Amino acid sequence: MPGGNIVGFLERCFSRRPPRLADLERTGSRHRATRPLVNGDRVIVIGGGIAGSAFARQLLLLARRENLKIKVYLVNSTNCNYCGGLITDLALNTMRSFLRLDLPEDVVLQKVERCIYVNVSGHVTVELNTPLNAVLRTSRFGVTGFDDSLKLRILEGLSPEIGNMLEIFEPTVVKRIYRQEKETGWRVIISRRHESGSFVELEGDVLVMAAGFRSLGRPMLQSFIASTGYEPPPIMAASVTEIDTSSAKKNLVGNNMFILDNILPGAVLALIPKSKDWLTLTSLGRHLTKEEVDQVLSHPGIRQWLELPEASKHLRCQLVCGAQVFTGPSRRFYGDRWVVIGDLAGYGRVLKDGYFASFLGSRLAAATMVYHGISERDFARFYHAPLKNFILDNRVGMWLFKVNNFLNRSHWFSHLFMAAGQQEGRSDSYGGFVHSGVRSLVTGELSYRLTALLFIAGITYFALTHPGELQIKLPLDRGGIFG
């Protein structure tokens, strides 16, 4: 089996890097601009989360570069966003490159240094090549969230003149969105009131929708859909909750995160440390109940590191929040003078790294408006076309997720996968193909296509070199293998 040196070389060769800004701008320079933003234009951004805040900053950075005098209205509610959050090295470097910002130390709650992969047959420890940053998204529990931190730093390093171009309306709720006459602009009615008692009504030349999945089903988004024909992307059920582990009988979690593969059938879960006495539990494929939280935390594969009886009684908010993740692209997410960015666009790496996707998509949308135009054709050519690079790999990612869930119904496969990973760990602390596949799912640095090939190569090699493992007899007590 190839050792850590060879696997590390392959990871360095094929790891994803932030796109270079010069390359993005050079791609569009061959086409003549139609009607880009001009002095006096007004851009309304709905949603002050990571996508909306990143877009606002990038648009202002480009406006400064081009001596463009515009107005940006950032409209945001202050509802609680999902607590979970991991910032990968790819997302961090993209933020530094695109936004010219770094990650504040007070936002990082924990450095995650390794991943422990758990299935019904055991566990394997996978070393990460670069630590991940565990954060909150919005500010909760007396801790500043990453999304909120970014919104507060939109104007960092910009002149007061540029700062005067931004006006933030927060907290407020969007009540209605509609087109102006002849579809030359937008009107957005918000819940903030004038002294006269009437609702504030914003007028804009371009509308940017960055509200996220929590806006699905709300009147605001329904009016937007009626005005544009926007179609949300397909989504998968998910959930997230925060667990206080200060009363745990045993806590050896440390800087380890856990991937729990089909411990609950059809779901992939993650336990992410946020501090010595604090964990985030996320799920893909199902919305967890409190009873399932207890089931997960009482699993023998977790009790080796953490003993917290009746874990559901220690949830920080006393509930498990439902969430959604996109599994494919939206069919219509831009048009003349409007564009959707962030999760609602359905572009990025499915099931992984929404921060990187938000930074990239917001940069492409801002550059399209400043350098090319604000028509449907312009967004199709300069915003949508680069994002299409995700489509094929995302199909492989969803195939990998579904095949993994199907195969893990068989104890025979879960044993084979685990045995292959454990054998690699005994041969080399950095592991081999299976370790690299798990590592890529956590860090997002390799494509899903390469990740699938790594798993196939690792399991096939192990099966050929250890044929006796193919005839394993199922243990009567599956939990006993963790003892």
Side-chain angles (χ1 to χ4, degrees):
M1 168 58 64
N5 290 336
I6 296 177
V7 169
F9 173 76
L10 292 174
E11 291 174 341
R12 289 190 295 274
C13 288
F14 293 101
S15 62
R16 302 159 73 224
R17 295 289 182 264
R20 294 189 301 177
L21 295 179
D23 290 342
L24 293 178
E25 293 166 4
R26 190 180 302 118
T27 300
S29 63
R30 296 190 295 269
H31 303 277
R32 187 173 64 181
T34 54
R35 195 290 198 189
L37 293 177
V38 297
N39 288 334
D41 275 347
R42 300 153 300 175
V43 179
I44 302 175
V45 184
I46 298 179
I50 191 69
S53 297
F55 171 84
R57 179 170 174 83
Q58 296 194 75
L59 187 61
L60 293 172
L61 285 170
L62 294 178
R64 180 182 66 176
R65 179 196 292 183
E66 304 302 324
N67 294 316
L68 185 63
K69 293 179 174 57
I70 59 177
K71 190 69 176 181
V72 180
Y73 301 119
L74 182 62
V75 182
N76 187 48
S77 67
T78 56
N79 292 333
C80 176
N81 206 332
Y82 307 129
C83 295
L86 271 180
I87 301 178
T88 66
D89 195 52
L90 174 64
L92 181 57
N93 287 329
T94 303
M95 180 178 71
R96 290 167 174 163
S97 174
F98 287 13
L99 303 183
R100 302 178 188 175
L101 293 174
D102 215 326
L103 185 62
E105 291 184 3
D106 63 336
V107 170
V108 180
L109 300 176
Q110 187 86 357
K111 292 285 188 178
V112 178
E113 298 179 350
R114 63 191 62 83
C115 170
I116 298 175
Y117 171 88
V118 180
N119 68 17
V120 297
S121 295
H123 73 273
V124 61
T125 301
V126 177
E127 296 292 333
L128 303 182
N129 42 29
T130 304
L132 302 178
N133 299 284
V135 300
L136 277 178
R137 294 199 58 186
T138 51
S139 301
R140 300 280 291 176
F141 317 120
V143 177
T144 302
F146 177 64
D147 295 30
D148 289 342
S149 169
L150 182 60
K151 183 172 63 208
L152 294 172
R153 295 185 294 149
I154 289 176
L155 297 176
E156 184 174 302
L158 300 180
S159 66
E161 181 182 6
I162 297 296
N164 290 334
M165 296 183 188
L166 175 68
E167 188 171 356
I168 299 178
F169 294 87
E170 179 188 62
T172 191
V173 175
V174 175
K175 300 182 72 65
R176 185 184 173 198
I177 302 170
Y178 62 98
R179 303 295 292 265
Q180 292 181 345
E181 293 182 3
K182 300 181 181 179
E183 297 190 351
T184 58
W186 292 89
R187 290 181 182 270
V188 176
I189 301 175
I190 61 178
S191 60
R192 185 172 295 187
R193 294 179 183 269
H194 294 290
E195 291 182 359
S196 63
S198 61
F199 290 115
V200 171
E201 186 169 331
L202 304 176
E203 296 185 26
D205 301 283
V206 184
L207 182 72
V208 179
M209 177 58 69
F213 285 136
R214 288 216 162 181
S215 64
L216 291 176
R218 293 181 178 174
M220 174 270 292
L221 195 65
Q222 295 306 309
S223 65
F224 174 73
I225 291 173
S227 297
T228 62
Y230 163 70
E231 298 180 22
I235 58 177
M236 174 190 293
S239 61
V240 61
T241 190
E242 303 287 341
I243 304 174
D244 182 350
T245 59
S246 58
S247 59
K249 295 181 178 180
K250 177 172 69 175
N251 189 347
L252 303 177
V253 172
N255 293 333
N256 302 310
M257 68 169 289
F258 298 79
I259 291 181
L260 313 176
D261 195 353
N262 275 266
I263 298 301
L264 296 177
V268 177
L269 316 177
L271 274 173
I272 303 167
K274 295 293 175 68
S275 70
K276 179 178 179 295
D277 297 319
W278 184 0
L279 289 174
T280 296
L281 173 61
T282 67
S283 67
L284 289 175
R286 68 196 298 159
H287 182 179
L288 298 181
T289 64
K290 289 187 176 182
E291 291 74 20
E292 288 172 332
V293 171
D294 289 333
Q295 183 179 343
V296 169
L297 270 293
S298 63
H299 190 275
I302 294 300
R303 288 207 314 269
Q304 293 185 66
W305 289 274
L306 179 68
E307 288 188 16
L308 183 64
E310 299 181 298
S312 62
K313 294 183 178 180
H314 302 277
L315 305 185
R316 283 186 166 234
C317 292
Q318 302 306 312
L319 52 84
V320 181
C321 294
Q324 299 89 30
V325 295
F326 63 80
T327 60
S330 173
R331 295 181 61 185
R332 177 173 170 77
F333 60 103
Y334 53 86
D336 291 338
R337 297 176 178 266
W338 66 273
V339 64
V340 176
I341 62 175
D343 286 345
L344 286 176
Y347 277 88
R349 197 178 187 213
V350 293
L351 312 182
K352 185 63 193 169
D353 215 352
Y355 286 129
F356 166 73
S358 292
F359 294 146
L360 176 60
S362 60
R363 175 68 189 198
L364 291 170
T368 297
M369 294 182 191
V370 171
Y371 295 115
H372 307 296
I374 54 178
S375 71
E376 181 174 356
R377 181 180 178 184
D378 296 316
F379 286 123
R381 179 178 292 175
F382 303 109
Y383 172 58
H384 189 189
L387 293 177
K388 289 181 180 178
N389 293 325
F390 287 104
I391 292 178
L392 177 58
D393 198 52
N394 281 345
R395 289 173 180 167
V396 175
M398 289 308 303
W399 171 85
L400 189 62
F401 183 83
K402 293 175 182 177
V403 169
N404 174 72
N405 285 345
F406 174 78
L407 292 177
N408 269 291
R409 297 175 186 175
S410 164
H411 185 79
W412 173 84
F413 175 81
S414 65
H415 169 83
L416 184 63
F417 187 97
M418 185 55 59
Q422 291 174 343
Q423 176 59 35
E424 289 180 3
R426 287 191 290 269
S427 301
D428 191 304
S429 60
Y430 195 71
F433 289 147
V434 171
H435 281 236
S436 183
V438 173
R439 188 159 41 242
S440 72
L441 292 178
V442 175
T443 64
E445 291 182 351
L446 302 179
S447 69
Y448 279 124
R449 286 167 286 186
L450 183 54
T451 301
L453 290 175
L454 288 168
F455 284 138
I456 293 171
I459 293 172
T460 300
Y461 181 88
F462 179 79
L464 293 175
T465 54
H466 298 78
E469 295 289 345
L470 301 178
Q471 302 176 11
I472 178 177
K473 296 181 180 179
L474 301 186
L476 295 177
D477 178 11
R478 293 186 178 184
I481 58 181
F482 288 92

